[in-house]
Amino acid sequence: MPEISKKGQLMPASPIRKLVPYSDEAKKRGIKVYHLNIGQPDIETPEGAMNALKNSNIKVVAYSHSAGILSYRKKMVEYYKRFNINVSENEIIVCNGGSEAILFAFMSCVNEGEEVIVPEPLYANYIGFAVTAGVKTVPVTSKIEDGFALPPISEFEKLITPKTKAILICSPNNPTGYLYSKEELLKLRDIVKKHNLYLLSDEVYREFCYDGNQHSSAMNLEGIDNNIILLDSISKRYSACGARVGTLITRNKDVYNTAMKFAQARLSPPTFGQVLAEAAIDTPKSYFDKVIDEYVARRNVVVDSINKMKGCFCTKPKGAFYVIARLPIDDSDKFCQWLLESFSYENETVMCAPATGFYSTKGLGKDEIRISYVLNVNDLKRSMKCLEVALQQYPGKTN
Amino acid sequence: MPEISKKGQLMPASPIRKLVPYSDEAKKRGIKVYHLNIGQPDIETPEGAMNALKNSNIKVVAYSHSAGILSYRKKMVEYYKRFNINVSENEIIVCNGGSEAILFAFMSCVNEGEEVIVPEPLYANYIGFAVTAGVKTVPVTSKIEDGFALPPISEFEKLITPKTKAILICSPNNPTGYLYSKEELLKLRDIVKKHNLYLLSDEVYREFCYDGNQHSSAMNLEGIDNNIILLDSISKRYSACGARVGTLITRNKDVYNTAMKFAQARLSPPTFGQVLAEAAIDTPKSYFDKVIDEYVARRNVVVDSINKMKGCFCTKPKGAFYVIARLPIDDSDKFCQWLLESFSYENETVMCAPATGFYSTKGLGKDEIRISYVLNVNDLKRSMKCLEVALQQYPGKTN
């Protein structure tokens, strides 16, 4: 049998999926599993956008332009203006989800063996795309005590080598929920400028900012227009993960033209998703107001519950719908597996993501889990009760 | 400004798109352009499949399973049975078009710097995906005089080195329309087995076989189950290019599990396209009968017209909807550009793809063009008349 590739061997298994077999087993045993492990919201996709797709009069489902349907790109220009982000339709490439935008950015900007600095805990799939592109991710560790704020710039400086080509950030952050301040972004601007790096900015949770906080976009950092690549997606914005519509945006013409060559090779992004996405831009503000209120209520249930549990700690994230909680446990991988294999409370249990999968640095995250608060308040309350009871019973508890 | 990547610089521009600016110019001057350059059929997507999507009751457009929606994969098992291809739903990964299937196959099976032998003329995007994966495509040249039949196996043997990891074939072929016989496939089976190579088999035009010829699938070659990877797509089958639904199929569990890691990193293939694709499997045979009749009529118009033109030659392809024609011209790139920039007949012209873009070997294809017969018979007749007149006027004609 011919060998599989080295990169194939290096590809990490998804940290949110490796427990799926145990969860399937638990369900077979009749135990209800609350899924706090994935970023799949239960919020309905805006009806207007769904209707636009259903009422579309497509006779031939043709390839779209490799950069995406022109009318959709023009509509996005409007969308970004609402956030004071000025871009033209010729600076936008529609991608197969934010996933492809990340891959195109790596492929276009970073050579095999070169390095991208990423604050950790990080979105685990960055590592998969880095392996695909042959890029090395270099973690700079943010800390739960600081609410996962931007690590000091001196920590970045220590990691910069001649091989460093980019810094990749995500704000509001998956998996921490942290929202970078304008001041933090300005610090990143300065280091990017000083070392002539790319700044890849993943802003897919832009709308999900809480407690009156505003999102600052890397696209509005002055003096580094040619360094910035915005990675975006409609997956969470309109609860349309399966539409597979993301975007890569850059004012750097060389990067744009290069990413377009990768885009042309794969012909086109999905037509149906783009039809939905174009209409979704007209989703009324009331939809988001309701969604934000809902997520704030959910977050508060989780954060308040966690901090009431003995030996547990998390800060209150300002964005996205994730929180990393520190628990009094020996090993988050073992704990999350045990929750599915050996534990139940009133015939229910919870599935969480061990935080180890979100750290590049080996050994970190062993006493942390990521909770996605994508369930309704009532289910979250029951989940937190499960977690509380579980922590009293878990054989590997450390307090 | 930071540099773009070496791979980005190596990525070829698409041979079917590099003439688009000239075609846009022609249209601005009021000249009608017949598009024989692209593989975008004008055939309508089956109505039943479109209705299944429109009538679907999706409330939350969620991620599908990374391998694709289970009911769709099970339905595909049925589909393949019709062609005596026996696969299970656990051997199928739904991809973002056939494009992603090619990329996953390269990434999973071939290391950076290793080689894949591909008969040329070849589907140009293979080169783009090879650059992405760092894989070297090694061409083995098939000849227009032989109707682009499989080159002698001795030619393959000459090219095999310790770096050779796979052979990649496409049947029915884009860009030649050639359909490999069972005998040719058996020869490939033997060499694949002898040298322990992967056989990547692109069969996206399976339904498009003419004159009573039957398609033979590489999946039915005995004794090399662990070597075969089937690359497939619904784009042409159901005229649904924009749905972005393809498949990678393999019985090799290591390759499957490896490709799944790449699939998990990008989360899921598009939900809407899969809903359409699942329903499309029930498309009645009458739809295909009509489509095949139409393509045969179109092919005959093109082939007969070409062979009547002075100094022109093509064979009659048994499948797909492409034909490569040899013309009495100095340079197919110049000729195709001249058709758009400087020529018109009764205010019309044609856009063709220079065959140079389909050869890896430099210098080949200069007197050949690829014609996609994706227009109706009447438009094709007018296109052929344009081409005939153009060949009398072209300053670089060689006869």
Side-chain angles (χ1 to χ4, degrees), chain A residues 5-6 54 56 107 111-112, chain B residues 5 54 56 107 111-112:
Chain A
S5 70
K6 293 188 188 86
K54 289 186 174 184
S56 69
M107 290 302 306
N111 286 319
E112 290 271 333
Chain B
S5 71
K54 289 184 175 186
S56 69
M107 290 303 308
N111 286 318
E112 291 272 335

Side-chain angles (χ1 to χ4, degrees), chain B residues 209-211 213 293-305 314-323 373 377 380:
Chain B
C209 295
Y210 311 133
D211 313 327
N213 287 288
D293 286 351
E294 177 65 25
Y295 277 121
V296 167
R298 293 173 177 192
R299 177 198 62 175
N300 292 348
V301 166
V302 171
V303 170
D304 294 350
S305 304
C314 68
T315 56
K316 190 177 269 191
K318 289 176 189 159
F321 34 72
Y322 308 97
V323 60
Y373 44 95
V377 163
L380 281 175

Side-chain angles (χ1 to χ4, degrees), chain B residues 1-2 20 73 81 110 126 144-146 175 179 201 228 243 275 305 307 323 330 334 337 347-348 376 382 387 392:
Chain B
M1 193 184 326
V20 168
R73 282 183 282 140
K81 273 218 177 83
V110 194
Y126 290 156
I144 193 168
E145 296 83 1
D146 309 325
L179 176 71
S201 185
I228 300 171
V275 170
S305 304
N307 284 305
V323 60
D330 59 341
K334 280 188 200 160
Q337 185 174 332
N347 234 25
E348 296 178 341
N376 65 55
R382 294 193 66 88
L387 191 61
Q392 290 157 10

Side-chain angles (χ1 to χ4, degrees), chain B residues 198-214:
Chain B
Y198 289 109
L199 179 60
L200 313 185
S201 185
D202 177 344
E203 304 181 3
V204 303
Y205 296 95
R206 180 178 301 111
E207 275 79 1
F208 301 89
C209 295
Y210 311 133
D211 313 327
N213 287 288
Q214 294 293 316

Side-chain angles (χ1 to χ4, degrees), chain A residues 178-321:
Chain A
Y178 189 79
L179 176 71
Y180 286 137
S181 66
K182 181 86 194 167
E183 292 65 38
E184 287 173 313
L185 286 174
L186 287 172
K187 285 180 195 167
L188 284 167
R189 193 260 318 259
D190 292 344
I191 193 169
V192 157
K193 201 169 176 179
K194 178 177 168 194
H195 295 281
N196 197 31
L197 305 175
Y198 288 109
L199 179 60
L200 314 184
S201 184
D202 177 344
E203 304 181 2
V204 304
Y205 296 96
R206 180 179 301 110
E207 274 79 1
F208 302 89
C209 296
Y210 311 133
D211 313 326
N213 288 288
Q214 294 293 313
H215 179 255
S216 298
S217 174
M219 287 301 278
N220 288 333
L221 293 172
E222 282 174 27
I224 54 166
D225 269 355
N226 279 320
N227 304 65
I228 300 170
I229 295 157
L230 177 63
L231 310 170
D232 213 335
S233 163
I234 70 156
S235 290
K236 310 300 161 97
R237 185 169 305 146
Y238 309 117
S239 199
C241 299
R244 308 315 296 134
V245 174
T247 35
L248 178 153
I249 304 185
T250 183
R251 299 190 182 105
N252 181 321
K253 287 206 186 334
D254 286 348
V255 172
Y256 186 87
N257 292 335
T258 303
M260 269 307 291
K261 291 196 281 180
F262 289 99
Q264 286 180 350
R266 63 71 166 125
L267 301 167
S268 96
T271 298
F272 298 131
Q274 291 183 81
V275 171
L276 177 119
E278 182 173 338
I281 292 179
D282 288 328
T283 301
K285 190 175 167 294
S286 56
Y287 172 90
F288 291 102
D289 290 345
K290 213 175 130 200
V291 170
I292 299 302
D293 285 350
E294 177 64 25
Y295 277 121
V296 167
R298 293 173 178 191
R299 177 198 62 176
N300 292 348
V301 167
V302 172
V303 171
D304 294 349
S305 304
I306 292 287
N307 284 305
K308 277 181 198 150
M309 294 177 205
K310 192 183 159 201
C312 298
F313 170 70
C314 69
T315 56
K316 190 177 270 191
K318 291 177 189 160
F321 34 73

Side-chain angles (χ1 to χ4, degrees), chain A residues 1-14 16-17 39-47 50 53-66 96 99-100 103 106-112 114 123 125 128-129 131-134 165 196-198 226-227 235-236 239-244 252-255 258 261-273 276, chain B residues 1-14 16-17 39-47 50 53-66 96 99-100 103 106-112 114 123 125 128-129 131-134 165 196-198 226-227 235-236 239-244 252-255 258 261-273 276:
Chain A
M1 191 183 328
E3 276 189 1
I4 62 159
S5 70
K6 293 188 188 86
K7 280 187 180 174
Q9 294 171 45
L10 278 174
M11 275 296 282
S14 164
I16 60 170
R17 288 169 196 245
Q40 170 58 60
D42 61 340
I43 305 284
E44 288 193 4
T45 312
E47 211 182 343
M50 281 300 291
L53 174 61
K54 289 186 174 184
N55 298 331
S56 69
N57 193 26
I58 299 171
K59 293 288 176 198
V60 180
V61 187
Y63 291 122
S64 74
H65 190 289
S66 295
N96 286 304
S99 300
E100 191 179 64
L103 183 62
F106 281 165
M107 290 302 306
S108 302
C109 299
V110 193
N111 286 319
E112 290 271 333
E114 287 184 339
Y123 176 55
N125 286 328
F129 296 117
V131 171
T132 304
K165 199 68 175 287
N196 197 31
L197 305 175
Y198 288 109
N226 279 320
N227 304 65
S235 290
K236 310 300 161 97
S239 199
C241 299
R244 308 315 296 134
N252 181 321
K253 287 206 186 334
D254 286 348
V255 172
T258 303
K261 291 196 281 180
F262 289 99
Q264 286 180 350
R266 63 71 166 125
L267 301 167
S268 96
T271 298
F272 298 131
L276 177 119
Chain B
M1 193 184 326
E3 276 189 1
I4 63 160
S5 71
K6 292 188 188 85
K7 281 189 179 173
Q9 293 170 46
L10 278 174
M11 275 295 282
S14 165
I16 60 170
R17 289 173 195 239
Q40 171 58 60
D42 61 340
I43 305 283
E44 287 191 5
T45 311
E47 210 181 343
M50 281 300 292
L53 175 60
K54 289 184 175 186
N55 298 331
S56 69
N57 192 27
I58 299 171
K59 293 289 177 198
V60 180
V61 187
Y63 291 121
S64 75
H65 191 289
S66 294
N96 286 303
S99 299
E100 193 179 63
L103 183 61
F106 281 166
M107 290 303 308
S108 301
C109 299
V110 194
N111 286 318
E112 291 272 335
E114 287 184 340
Y123 176 56
N125 287 328
F129 296 117
V131 170
T132 303
K165 199 69 176 283
N196 196 30
L197 306 175
Y198 289 109
N226 279 322
N227 305 65
S235 291
K236 310 301 161 97
S239 201
C241 299
R244 309 314 296 132
N252 181 319
K253 288 208 186 331
D254 286 349
V255 172
T258 304
K261 290 196 281 181
F262 289 99
Q264 286 180 349
R266 61 73 164 124
L267 302 167
S268 97
T271 299
F272 298 132
L276 177 121

Side-chain angles (χ1 to χ4, degrees), chain A residues 29-198:
Chain A
R29 293 200 318 273
I31 294 168
K32 177 168 181 177
V33 178
Y34 290 109
H35 284 270
L36 306 179
N37 59 312
I38 49 170
Q40 170 58 60
D42 61 340
I43 305 284
E44 288 193 4
T45 312
E47 211 182 343
M50 281 300 291
N51 287 339
L53 174 61
K54 289 186 174 184
N55 298 331
S56 69
N57 193 26
I58 299 171
K59 293 288 176 198
V60 180
V61 187
Y63 291 122
S64 74
H65 190 289
S66 295
I69 297 171
L70 183 60
S71 60
Y72 174 41
R73 282 184 282 138
K74 284 185 173 169
K75 190 85 186 171
M76 268 194 278
V77 172
E78 265 181 55
Y79 164 80
Y80 284 108
K81 273 218 177 85
R82 295 178 200 158
F83 297 88
N84 296 316
I85 300 171
N86 292 308
V87 291
S88 94
E89 64 270 24
N90 300 317
E91 294 164 339
I92 297 173
I93 299 176
V94 182
C95 297
N96 286 304
S99 300
E100 191 179 64
I102 300 164
L103 183 62
F104 284 177
F106 281 165
M107 290 302 306
S108 302
C109 299
V110 193
N111 286 319
E112 290 271 333
E114 287 184 339
E115 297 170 0
V116 177
I117 298 176
V118 195
E120 70 177 356
L122 49 75
Y123 176 55
N125 286 328
Y126 290 156
I127 297 175
F129 296 117
V131 171
T132 304
V135 168
K136 192 178 165 199
T137 51
V138 176
V140 54
T141 308
S142 64
K143 300 207 170 98
I144 194 167
E145 296 82 1
D146 309 326
F148 299 107
L150 187 74
I153 286 297
S154 57
E155 294 298 311
F156 285 81
E157 288 280 5
K158 282 182 204 161
L159 298 170
I160 289 176
T161 75
K163 285 194 168 174
T164 309
K165 199 68 175 287
I167 294 172
L168 167 57
I169 57 170
C170 175
S171 172
N173 190 271
N174 175 2
T176 69
Y178 189 79
L179 176 71
Y180 286 137
S181 66
K182 181 86 194 167
E183 292 65 38
E184 287 173 313
L185 286 174
L186 287 172
K187 285 180 195 167
L188 284 167
R189 193 260 318 259
D190 292 344
I191 193 169
V192 157
K193 201 169 176 179
K194 178 177 168 194
H195 295 281
N196 197 31
L197 305 175
Y198 288 109

